[in-house]
Amino acid sequence: MSRISLFLRLNPINEKAKEELYEHLGTLSKVTQDTEPGVLRYSYATAYDPEDELIYMIEEYASQEAADDHMKTKEYSALVKWIGTGALGAGPAIQRIVPADPLINNFVRPQIALQQSNVALIYTEVIYHPGKAAAVLEHWKAVAKVSEDQELGTLLWGAWKDPGQDDRVFIVHAYESLEYLFKEHVNSQVMKNFKALGDEYVKEMNVLKLKVKGGFLYKKFE
């Protein structure tokens, strides 16, 4: 069965709504971690940018059945009811993502569970010029391998794509700190090789630097 992976943007209308949302997400994340084995990842975060007031979520389910079961819980129903009061400025913006290539190893290190409060979570959207994405996948394979084999401070790394747009790729990656990201990962030779591709391949790149607020990015049986 195929996993279901989602990236969400939530926009509370004010500070009161934001605190209420945190309460709902805290309750939900505890329930999913303790009682829903099919929920593999359920994490919420805020941006390092102080002007960005959105709440971001990464969710991953072992199957559509696991996602459906999650939505049947009373805690999820309570969140939906709360959203129905107008506490969000707009409905949740939901992006479904699927693995970019079966040969790219999307990995997560168990120690992320112990370091999560300090983790720098990065969500990178890369839009390629038409027909260029497949050629760049070889570079992402190299980045994934080096990140897993040589960068112990790279705690999570995965390449995903928009199922409706082949030229749009998402890299979800996490580091023990922002300092590690820029000092070690960004300066690695494989990343320099990727950046050398330049505008001929990459049309647009958007990077979100996030601070994990709660939930979980790893389960021991994953």
Side-chain angles (χ1 to χ4, degrees), residues 39-43 58-60 108 156 160 216-217 222:
V39 183
L40 306 178
R41 194 165 289 148
Y42 199 87
S43 181
I58 291 179
E59 302 178 20
E60 187 167 357
V108 58
L156 179 153
W160 310 82
F216 56 96
L217 291 164
E222 185 175 15

Side-chain angles (χ1 to χ4, degrees), residues 10-111:
L10 307 174
N11 184 22
I13 59 174
N14 53 35
E15 283 300 316
K16 179 176 181 294
K18 183 181 290 187
E19 291 305 316
E20 290 173 349
L21 178 57
Y22 283 147
E23 289 181 14
H24 280 287
L25 295 180
T27 300
L28 263 169
S29 61
K30 180 170 174 49
V31 169
T32 55
Q33 188 168 26
D34 293 346
T35 68
E36 298 181 56
V39 183
L40 306 178
R41 194 165 289 148
Y42 199 87
S43 181
Y44 53 98
T46 57
Y48 277 89
D49 181 354
E51 295 186 2
D52 184 347
E53 298 184 351
L54 297 180
I55 307 299
Y56 298 91
M57 293 191 69
I58 291 179
E59 302 178 20
E60 187 167 357
Y61 302 89
S63 64
Q64 184 62 56
E65 181 181 8
D68 292 342
D69 288 343
H70 174 71
M71 290 186 287
K72 294 174 184 176
T73 64
K74 68 178 188 299
E75 291 81 9
Y76 181 83
S77 296
L79 174 61
V80 171
K81 182 178 180 180
W82 176 81
I83 292 173
T85 66
L88 297 183
I94 303 174
Q95 173 67 55
R96 181 166 181 172
I97 55 180
V98 298
D101 187 288
L103 297 180
I104 296 179
N105 184 31
N106 293 347
F107 72 88
V108 58
R109 300 189 195 280
Q111 63 262 38

